[in-house]
Amino acid sequence: MLRLLRIDLKKLVNYRAFWVLNIMYGLLIFSIPISVMEFLKWLKEKGAELDGFDPMKIPVLHFPDIWQNITYVYVFLKIFLAIVVIISISNEYSYKTIRQNIIDGMSRVDFIKSKLLTILLLSLGSTLFVFLTGLLTGFIYTPNVAVSDMFTGIEFVFAYFLDLFTYLVFAFLLTVLLKRSALTIFILLLYLPIEYAITGNLPESMEFIAEYFPLHAINNLIEFPFAKYWFQEIQDYVSLSAVGVVFVYLALFIYAIYAKLKASDL
Amino acid sequence: MDTVLKIENLTKQYGRITAVRNLSLEVHRGNVFGILGPNGSGKTTTLGILLDVIKKTSGSFSWFGQPPTKEMRKKIGAILETPIFYPYLSAVKNLEIVAEIKGAPVDRIEPVLKKVELYERRHDKFRTYSLGMKQRLSIASALLCDPEVMILDEPTNGLDPQGIAEIRELIKQIAREGKTIILASHLLDEVQKVCTHFCVLKRGSLLYSGSVEEVNKGVESVEVIADASDMEMVLQGYPMAAKVVEEDGKYIVTLENGARAADLNAYLFSKGITISHLLTQRKSLEKQFLELLAESDNA
């Protein structure tokens, strides 16, 4: 297993686009909490129309709110890592190196494993980074840190991991089907509006199936949290049924990748 | 004799097109086996199937008497069509990946790069290499696991004459080490110069399979010059001569199967004629190859 991961990492560590995208992604993660606070400060300075309310008091980045808030925002950045995954796999097709890997003695399953392990590593790394950023930001901005608050809502970090990992495996599947990087990225971006257009136009009796569409299921892991700041009810937990649906999709995606690669001439 | 590769009734269909038709072959240890055929005759498809990158439609094959697995492929050094490497990586990094896949020791990289004379350029990116260097790197890569079998597909394609000579020398050198080599080529001359055995494919069907020596043994013609007035008569009287033709004072004698130039020389000497010039000409593989192709067209 480790050998397969090492092989794939050898292909990536000397590839410039890999680092450019990862560093951009890291910088964005790190800069979002900072810019949120700057934005709140700016609101405070403008202050007048808020009836004397101090926007700095909105607990956006306080424990325990912070976990759902930042993970909800951070999942939008997953497209950067999806592009890393798409390039890493489409390169194997355009350079024909997937063919040479097999000739040299990899099985098709080995190839899938080595790519999945890299995806797993990227997802774990990103989750760890998000966790540390959240912890640090929470410490800085929470007025009175209580240990019991710190890890309340930590399940959103797990949900973030599952969201990211499944999305990246979905990108893997699309690349195996489409093979070319630009086309795959385009279709991946286009797929979300298409899915929402379909579910938006379902007849009323069928509306309940919307949450079983893949990206709906993934997006249902972390629900929109900010409505609570204008006093609306929100889902402040990770729904187990959403986790279940996502696991089913994960298994389906991986099986589809396997079925496609097993049967095709390379 | 050890059988390295055995193919039985292998068939590959792309829709209605049959790329390989009912192919059966055997390659033995130590052979340099040429697969000869015009472009599109199914050479690369056959090799692709043997290496699991192309799925066969029917038939079977075995390596070393066992059904194919990835472990088997780790013991085979193979290049199909063009050299394939990560263009943004250096030769060393590329070979590290191959070594990792094949489970070959990393300290093999230095000697194989030296062998193909790429050691000086080992840290340069693959994309900066000339075609000849790329071909040599793929041979280095194929040698990495100290393979028992090497598969080379058109290894001299697109090279300049010097590059072709270098690669052929390299192949012969590897063959002398006792490795089995399977070489696909559309160049007859290449097969004749390098191979011990060969087969001929056309539109996916096997036309011929046998040893190069056997073919070379075939009909021999000898060019002789001698200062004797009764030369033509004496030659006509030689029982092993199939045909005698005079051309600008030279006699071209086509010998019967099995007869050699030395036999003719001995015969002439026994008749009291000493010759001043003797040149053996074998019917070239090319001629036979074209004949085979023509025969199959008529059939």
Side-chain angles (χ1 to χ4, degrees):
Chain A
M1 276 305 212
L2 222 58
R3 185 181 69 91
L4 293 175
L5 178 63
R6 211 161 49 225
I7 291 170
D8 206 49
L9 290 182
K10 268 194 196 245
K11 299 172 185 173
L12 287 174
V13 289
N14 289 289
Y15 191 58
R16 190 171 314 152
F18 174 72
W19 291 111
V20 171
L21 284 161
N22 278 337
I23 289 171
M24 266 164 56
Y25 176 76
L27 285 178
L28 276 171
I29 287 200
F30 209 67
S31 63
I32 282 177
I34 297 169
S35 32
V36 167
M37 287 320 287
E38 288 305 314
F39 176 70
L40 291 180
K41 262 186 213 159
W42 175 79
L43 268 187
K44 188 181 179 181
E45 276 159 24
K46 291 270 162 184
E49 70 271 27
L50 285 158
D51 299 327
F53 178 72
D54 183 358
M56 294 293 279
K57 294 248 162 62
I58 305 174
V60 180
L61 295 177
H62 296 186
F63 292 127
D65 286 22
I66 186 170
W67 296 120
Q68 186 171 7
N69 292 347
I70 60 166
T71 52
Y72 179 80
V73 174
Y74 284 155
V75 289
F76 286 97
L77 299 180
K78 63 192 169 193
I79 188 68
F80 281 93
L81 293 184
I83 292 173
V84 170
V85 168
I86 290 171
I87 290 176
S88 130
I89 295 157
S90 64
N91 270 354
E92 305 271 5
Y93 282 99
S94 55
Y95 301 147
K96 288 188 165 185
T97 41
I98 178 172
R99 183 181 169 127
Q100 190 65 40
N101 286 169
I102 307 269
I103 290 173
D104 285 337
M106 260 192 175
S107 68
R108 288 158 201 244
V109 173
D110 283 347
F111 182 81
I112 297 172
K113 277 189 197 158
S114 84
K115 291 293 175 193
L116 281 180
L117 285 168
T118 302
I119 291 176
L120 185 67
L121 188 72
L122 280 177
S123 308
L124 284 174
S126 161
T127 307
L128 184 69
F129 196 53
V130 163
F131 173 69
L132 292 176
T133 309
L135 214 55
L136 191 67
T137 317
F139 261 119
I140 294 171
Y141 294 111
T142 312
N144 301 301
V145 181
V147 179
S148 60
D149 284 348
M150 264 170 63
F151 297 106
T152 311
I154 200 78
E155 68 266 24
F156 284 103
V157 176
F158 164 74
Y160 171 82
F161 165 75
L162 189 60
D163 180 320
L164 180 60
F165 184 66
T166 313
Y167 188 74
L168 296 184
V169 172
F170 181 58
F172 184 2
L173 172 62
L174 281 185
T175 320
V176 166
L177 294 176
L178 301 169
K179 298 188 174 74
R180 270 167 303 188
S181 59
L183 180 67
T184 312
I185 294 168
F186 179 69
I187 297 287
L188 182 67
L189 291 174
L190 202 64
Y191 179 76
L192 183 71
I194 289 175
E195 191 180 294
Y196 275 82
I198 293 171
T199 54
N201 289 305
L202 285 172
E204 220 164 303
S205 59
M206 296 289 282
E207 261 173 14
F208 72 96
I209 66 161
E211 62 173 302
Y212 297 106
F213 278 71
L215 289 195
H216 275 71
I218 293 175
N219 290 341
N220 284 342
L221 288 171
I222 304 170
E223 294 272 1
F224 181 67
F226 301 111
K228 68 178 164 198
Y229 300 121
W230 48 89
F231 310 109
Q232 286 182 5
E233 192 81 8
I234 62 150
Q235 181 184 315
D236 59 355
Y237 56 90
V238 180
S239 120
L240 277 182
S241 74
V243 171
V245 175
V246 168
F247 269 116
V248 170
Y249 270 111
L250 197 52
L252 271 180
F253 292 157
I254 292 175
Y255 181 75
I257 292 167
Y258 168 73
K260 167 71 185 158
L261 268 184
K262 199 185 74 156
S264 51
D265 293 339
L266 297 170
Chain B
M1 229 188 311
D2 288 344
T3 302
V4 170
L5 168 69
K6 189 180 173 113
I7 304 177
E8 280 174 299
N9 304 321
L10 198 67
T11 297
K12 171 69 184 180
Q13 270 170 323
Y14 291 108
R16 279 166 46 222
I17 297 158
T18 308
V20 179
R21 191 190 309 267
N22 235 348
L23 180 67
S24 297
L25 269 184
E26 255 185 66
V27 177
H28 298 286
R29 193 179 298 275
N31 282 3
V32 180
F33 193 92
I35 299 179
L36 198 52
N39 294 326
S41 58
K43 303 185 296 283
T44 300
T45 307
T46 306
L47 296 180
I49 294 171
L50 297 178
L51 294 165
D52 192 40
V53 288
I54 295 173
K55 293 287 170 186
K56 63 183 187 218
T57 306
S58 64
S60 67
F61 62 94
S62 61
W63 286 106
F64 307 102
Q66 282 161 19
T69 60
K70 66 173 177 177
E71 297 306 324
M72 222 58 104
R73 289 201 301 283
K74 289 181 185 175
K75 287 190 271 177
I76 297 170
I79 328 158
L80 280 199
E81 292 173 303
T82 46
I84 298 173
F85 292 98
Y86 296 90
Y88 55 87
L89 294 180
S90 67
V92 170
K93 295 267 177 216
N94 267 302
L95 292 188
E96 279 175 10
I97 292 175
V98 177
E100 195 83 67
I101 293 176
K102 287 195 170 296
V106 184
D107 53 20
R108 283 275 303 161
I109 293 175
E110 194 184 310
V112 294
L113 281 176
K114 281 185 175 155
K115 181 166 202 157
V116 299
E117 288 165 21
L118 278 179
Y119 192 66
E120 306 297 313
R121 294 283 308 266
R122 69 191 180 282
H123 292 308
D124 293 341
K125 290 187 165 61
F126 175 69
R127 69 161 162 260
T128 66
Y129 285 11
S130 71
L131 186 57
M133 293 166 72
K134 288 178 176 176
Q135 298 275 24
R136 295 211 302 273
L137 183 61
S138 44
I139 291 187
S141 158
L143 284 171
L144 203 56
C145 59
D146 194 16
E148 295 184 41
V149 185
M150 280 184 85
I151 295 182
L152 305 171
D153 186 9
E154 306 279 3
T156 59
N157 217 4
L159 295 183
D160 58 22
Q162 194 197 340
I164 292 175
E166 281 171 18
I167 297 276
R168 283 187 189 159
E169 192 39 54
L170 202 55
I171 295 172
K172 281 190 211 163
Q173 193 187 327
I174 295 162
R176 277 197 294 272
E177 291 166 15
K179 296 199 190 310
T180 309
I181 299 178
I182 298 172
L183 175 115
S185 178
H186 65 278
L187 302 171
L188 309 137
D189 167 61
E190 180 159 285
V191 168
Q192 191 166 26
K193 282 192 175 137
V194 175
C195 297
T196 59
H197 295 72
F198 77 113
C199 71
V200 181
L201 289 187
K202 191 190 176 195
R203 282 195 227 112
S205 299
L206 182 69
L207 294 186
Y208 175 85
S209 176
S211 79
V212 172
E213 201 182 313
E214 228 166 82
V215 170
N216 283 343
K217 232 189 274 165
V219 190
E220 215 171 75
S221 61
V222 185
E223 200 180 283
V224 282
I225 301 175
D227 196 18
S229 50
D230 57 346
M231 181 71 166
E232 182 158 4
M233 244 177 59
V234 175
L235 282 174
Q236 294 285 11
Y238 182 49
M240 298 303 280
K243 205 167 83 183
V244 179
V245 182
E246 198 207 331
E247 216 172 75
D248 311 330
K250 294 181 254 181
Y251 292 94
I252 296 168
V253 186
T254 309
L255 297 175
E256 297 275 3
N257 242 340
R260 320 253 69 172
D263 303 331
L264 176 66
N265 194 10
Y267 166 75
L268 289 176
F269 193 75
S270 73
K271 295 284 176 194
I273 298 175
T274 47
I275 51 178
S276 56
H277 168 95
L278 182 138
L279 181 70
T280 308
Q281 287 176 327
R282 290 208 171 105
K283 185 168 163 188
S284 77
L285 199 53
E286 176 156 3
K287 227 167 170 181
Q288 303 219 3
F289 174 74
L290 293 174
E291 276 172 21
L292 279 169
L293 292 183
E295 267 170 39
S296 82
D297 274 337
N298 296 336

